Amino acid sequence: MILEVQDLRLAFGGVRAVDGLSFSVGEGEIVSVIGPNGAGKTSAFNCVSGFYKPTGGAVRLAGEEVTGRRPSAIAARGLARTFQNLRLFGELSVLDNVRAGTHLWLKQSALDALLHTPRYRASEDQSTDEAQKWLDFVELRGDRTGLVRHLPYGEQRRVEIARALARRPKLLLLDEPAAGLNHGEKAELLALVRRIQKLGVAIALIEHDMGLVMEVSERIVVLNFGREIADGPPDDVRRNPAVVEAYLGRDADDEVHASGTGCAGEGVDHA
């Protein structure tokens, strides 16, 4: 397993945001984490990636326990993520935003940068080439030399994913990657996620678009009030009475309408 989460707990005062959550992601697997707003999905991702320190439980990445470590230390073990709200450097170019993701593995010292040594110049060229490669991979259509904030929202999403991939992760966490995208952009996102999987990168995503979730996921973990209430293949999960009641909020007879069959973006969005 690339990711193992065991009995994870996170409390804010008297509120239990994550309450005994356990799940795993295998190498090269696509796992979606779904649930109503406030179910603890992003809080769990924040614990896994080091942005929150859990109050209990364990997180293992590639067999090594990383519970409570700093985000940079966890990233160095092979984890990258995107956020529900874009976190790009608006005053930097598209290319420089993605180049920022390469600095995790570039071999240069502060002295190299200060003196502009041959090693520094070589690593900067390598960083640029790597950034261009990932922008090609996500099929960015906009200007790469202009400020990233001038790109349309959907293109900015691609830049954020490209920057995460530039870290060369083993596991990629995507937090609501389809938020704000139109129907065509969601279909392109679905294709992109599958291309990422073909690289051997495992993917865990939080998503409210049930069409995309049912289409792309090999396994789905469902949370409610910080607890796991289901974990299994899409067909099993969407027929689970506890999921229908807690997440879809409708009678089991109506579950077929929320199954999200067809192309990405169809179905019910319970944001």
Side-chain angles (χ1 to χ4, degrees), residues 158 181-190 264:
R158 292 175 187 268
L181 302 185
N182 60 36
H183 179 82
E185 289 169 335
K186 288 178 182 178
E188 292 174 349
L189 173 66
L190 175 62

Side-chain angles (χ1 to χ4, degrees), residues 11 19 36 47 60 118 136 138 163:
D19 191 10
C47 289
R60 294 181 182 86
D136 288 341
V138 301
R163 183 176 65 186

Side-chain angles (χ1 to χ4, degrees), residues 183 190 194 211-212 214-216 238 259-267:
H183 179 82
L190 175 62
R194 286 175 170 160
L212 190 149
M214 294 296 174
E215 187 79 13
V216 78
R238 70 180 171 218
S259 66
T261 56
C263 65
E266 293 179 354

Side-chain angles (χ1 to χ4, degrees), residues 4-8 56-60 65 67:
E4 297 172 275
V5 176
Q6 183 177 11
D7 196 28
L8 189 67
V59 178
R60 294 181 182 86
E65 184 162 350
T67 315

Side-chain angles (χ1 to χ4, degrees), residues 72-73 75-79 99-106 166-168:
S72 59
R77 290 293 305 164
L79 183 145
R99 276 166 43 88
T102 69
H103 289 150
L104 185 68
W105 49 263
L106 280 178
R167 291 178 175 267
R168 300 179 176 177

Side-chain angles (χ1 to χ4, degrees), residues 96-114:
D96 282 344
N97 266 271
V98 182
R99 276 166 43 88
T102 69
H103 289 150
L104 185 68
W105 49 263
L106 280 178
K107 291 180 169 44
Q108 59 173 261
S109 67
L111 185 61
D112 288 324
L114 181 63

